[in-house]
Amino acid sequence: GESVGLHLPTLSVQEGDNSIINCAYSNSASDYFIWYKQESGKGPQFIIDIRSNMDKRQGQRVTVLLNKTVKHLSLQIAATQPGDSAVYFCAEGMNTGFQKLVFGTGTRLLVSP
Amino acid sequence: DVKVTQSSRYLVKRTGEKVFLECVQDMDHENMFWYRQDPGLGLRLIYFSYDVKMKEKGDIPEGYSVSREKKERFSLILESASTNQTSMYLCASSWTGTGNQPQHFGDGTRLSIL
């Protein structure tokens, strides 16, 4: 069946480092991908999305890379800050039909000062 | 900014009770969703709605129903609460645009069924 997974359940980095969070997806028909950040006690917060007609998209301090050949998605956070500590998860969907998303289980990012 | 408001942050109910979880969004979004979030399982879709009075089953609809009488409000109903429905419940909304659009979430209701 469809699934969205993450390679690393926990990622620990030092403040100022760049972080890379990875995600593998299994549905080759998916053409929309999105990253969320979830802080403790809060709901998921939209970070950035990308459609399959792109392989890279940049936001403020974040970059999402999409490799459709190997069905891999990554989120890069530049100059990681303690406020970036949270659970990050990806989701996949399709641009047609109902706007359903399939979510991964998440990676916890821990940023040490 | 999009604001999705869930009426309760924490709720404790007893087995067999009928439970109502309320969600309101202020961005005139057409689509609304209810998920549950459990450790190790990620977000699982219970029901969604793409218009007033319209509803579609998600992946785990058993034991739940929904109501969407107004565009801004989407209610999740546990007909007869059971202990296996103890979970974090998240509501989301999105705009119907060209292609898929980001879903925006509320801060969740942590529901405990005793």
Side-chain angles (χ1 to χ4, degrees), chain B residues 8-65:
Chain B
S8 304
R9 292 299 305 276
Y10 301 93
L11 210 52
V12 180
K13 296 291 182 180
R14 296 204 174 273
T15 303
E17 282 192 71
K18 190 169 186 177
V19 181
F20 294 85
L21 302 183
E22 306 288 344
C23 175
V24 176
Q25 50 95 3
D26 66 356
M27 284 302 292
D28 203 36
H29 284 168
E30 294 85 358
N31 307 307
M32 296 190 74
F33 307 82
W34 275 107
Y35 294 89
R36 62 179 284 175
Q37 185 177 33
D38 300 290
L41 296 178
L43 272 70
R44 293 181 291 166
L45 181 63
I46 304 171
Y47 267 97
F48 65 102
S49 168
Y50 55 90
D51 201 352
V52 175
K53 296 192 184 296
M54 306 302 290
K55 60 183 179 183
E56 294 287 336
K57 292 180 179 179
D59 301 317
I60 52 165
E62 296 79 19
Y64 303 94
S65 63

Side-chain angles (χ1 to χ4, degrees), chain B residues 53-112:
Chain B
K53 296 192 184 296
M54 306 302 290
K55 60 183 179 183
E56 294 287 336
K57 292 180 179 179
D59 301 317
I60 52 165
E62 296 79 19
Y64 303 94
S65 63
V66 290
S67 173
R68 191 153 180 216
E69 295 297 317
K70 294 184 178 182
K71 191 175 185 180
E72 67 271 18
R73 187 180 296 271
F74 192 34
S75 303
L76 179 70
I77 303 154
L78 285 64
E79 298 291 344
S80 178
S82 63
T83 54
N84 63 11
Q85 292 178 308
T86 292
S87 187
M88 170 69 84
Y89 289 87
L90 289 161
C91 174
S93 71
S94 71
W95 172 61
T96 297
T98 303
N100 218 321
Q101 299 294 325
Q103 293 180 20
H104 299 273
F105 286 83
D107 281 336
T109 295
R110 187 166 292 282
L111 176 63
S112 297

